[in-house]
Amino acid sequence: MSSAFLLHHHQFRAMGSPCELYYYAPTEDNQELLAAARQRLIQLENKYTRYRPDSITSRINTASGNGELIEVDNETVGLLHYAATLYEQSEGLFDITSGILRRAWDFRSGCLPPHADIEALLPLVGWSNVHWQPPFFCLPKAGMEIDFGGFVKEFAADQLASVLRYRGVEHGLVNLGGDIAVIGPHPDGKPWMIGIQHPRQVDRAIVKIPMTHGAVATSGDYERYMLIDGKRYCHILNPHTGYPIQSPFAGATVMADQCLIAGSFSSLALLKSEADPNWLQESGVAYLLVDQQMSFTSNIQIVDQR
């Protein structure tokens, strides 16, 4: 690629997160390309958010308990199939019906919810209870909900990377709140240096990972949490108990061909770590694990930032 190609950097907010696009293009006028990427992201956000009454998520949730079968499009069929696979392979730990538990947990309050409030919500949790006969979906119990938030941002990162590739971008990356899809290296072949959030120091990387392609995602106990009597309660909830996980790891990072896969595995690494702390190392993926003492293990190339 000619050195005349310019590096473009765009920052914005979407899906509740700070986002940015980096890509090389031959001219300063790239509004059409940028508009296409933003349009695809807005489409996905409007479609799967739980905050819009006309989203597919809200349509499904509003119909819970009334027996109505909601017909979904092919893209949503694919995501629901993926949710079913994650549920089965995680033995129920990755469950998109567990978002209902947020009604009990307010991590800004600094107070544990009453146990009775959690117990009252647990009967509404369970993918095994849903009626899923593609393309028709139904939540049988009144009050049940689904939430695509566990992987839709990662899916969106992959989609935006595809939009940029389709429009001729060969060098760049998409960063949606730390869920990153790499389109290709810098034009000179040098990798992008991806900073991995330090679990205990805001706005600092604990390591950097050189990447020329693929995707990377991180899950951690530091995104939303509260400390009570020296114990950390994070936003990652065990759907079997209704309580936050108590993981030996503060963060799990996974590299994969797709951001959707990387994000799912990083979440599963923490969910499974209570019972099986070696699960991620034995899964065969490229990973970085940071424990509660800020020591890390990894099978990928990293640059230590400590």
Side-chain angles (χ1 to χ4, degrees):
M1 178 176 284
S2 168
S3 59
F5 276 65
L6 303 174
L7 175 61
H8 298 272
H9 179 212
H10 300 281
Q11 294 177 297
F12 52 94
R13 285 193 66 85
M15 295 187 169
S17 302
C19 304
E20 55 186 350
L21 303 177
Y22 286 93
Y23 59 91
Y24 286 87
T27 66
E28 293 184 6
D29 183 12
N30 59 101
Q31 292 304 308
E32 184 177 344
L33 184 152
L34 180 61
R38 292 292 300 274
Q39 181 180 7
R40 179 59 173 138
L41 183 57
I42 291 170
Q43 178 191 39
L44 288 169
E45 183 168 21
N46 291 344
K47 184 176 182 179
Y48 294 111
T49 181
R50 66 178 190 272
Y51 298 111
R52 288 176 60 103
D54 58 344
S55 72
I56 185 61
T57 305
S58 293
R59 286 177 51 213
I60 289 172
N61 292 343
T62 300
S64 65
N66 68 12
E68 181 182 357
L69 295 174
I70 304 297
E71 185 173 4
V72 301
D73 66 338
N74 288 337
E75 183 172 70
T76 307
V77 166
L79 290 178
L80 289 171
H81 275 321
Y82 190 66
T85 300
L86 288 174
Y87 178 81
E88 293 166 3
Q89 294 186 352
S90 69
E91 298 178 328
L93 287 173
F94 198 113
D95 189 336
I96 69 169
T97 71
S98 64
I100 193 76
L101 293 168
R102 66 178 171 270
R103 292 185 182 178
W105 289 94
D106 178 2
F107 292 96
R108 293 171 296 183
S109 70
C111 300
L112 294 177
H115 181 69
D117 290 357
I118 297 171
E119 287 294 306
L121 293 171
L122 284 177
L124 301 177
V125 176
W127 175 268
S128 59
N129 295 320
V130 308
H131 295 161
W132 175 223
Q133 297 176 321
F136 297 101
F137 190 87
C138 175
L139 294 172
K141 297 181 182 180
M144 285 189 76
E145 294 181 359
I146 62 168
D147 188 345
F148 290 95
F151 55 71
V152 75
K153 187 154 59 70
E154 294 89 287
F155 175 70
D158 291 328
Q159 290 293 301
L160 262 64
S162 294
V163 168
L164 295 180
R165 288 191 187 98
Y166 179 77
R167 292 180 173 267
V169 173
E170 299 178 359
H171 306 274
L173 64 81
V174 175
N175 178 7
L176 302 186
D179 296 317
I180 297 172
V182 178
I183 299 165
H186 293 279
D188 60 4
K190 291 182 180 178
W192 300 91
M193 297 303 294
I194 308 299
I196 304 303
Q197 172 66 47
H198 193 297
R200 299 294 179 262
Q201 297 183 28
V202 179
D203 297 328
R204 182 184 171 191
I206 191 169
V207 302
K208 288 187 176 181
I209 300 175
M211 293 186 66
T212 59
H213 64 281
V216 62
T218 299
S219 296
D221 65 3
Y222 49 85
E223 295 173 28
R224 294 189 305 278
Y225 69 94
M226 54 188 173
L227 291 172
I228 300 177
D229 297 329
K231 187 174 182 178
R232 179 177 292 258
Y233 296 87
C234 75
H235 75 289
I236 304 173
L237 304 177
N238 184 323
H240 298 160
T241 66
Y243 281 85
I245 62 166
Q246 295 297 319
S247 173
F249 305 115
T253 298
V254 171
M255 292 175 59
D257 290 338
Q258 294 178 292
C259 197
L260 179 62
I261 303 299
S264 303
F265 269 75
S266 65
S267 296
L268 282 172
L270 295 186
L271 286 165
K272 281 183 166 288
S273 65
E274 288 184 294
D276 185 3
N278 296 318
W279 178 83
L280 187 60
Q281 294 96 313
E282 296 170 352
S283 68
V285 301
Y287 71 88
L288 165 76
L289 283 169
V290 182
D291 66 20
Q292 296 293 340
Q293 290 72 45
M294 300 302 104
S295 297
F296 48 77
T297 57
S298 177
N299 63 358
I300 55 179
Q301 180 184 355
I302 58 174
V303 178
D304 192 340
Q305 295 296 109
R306 293 176 300 180

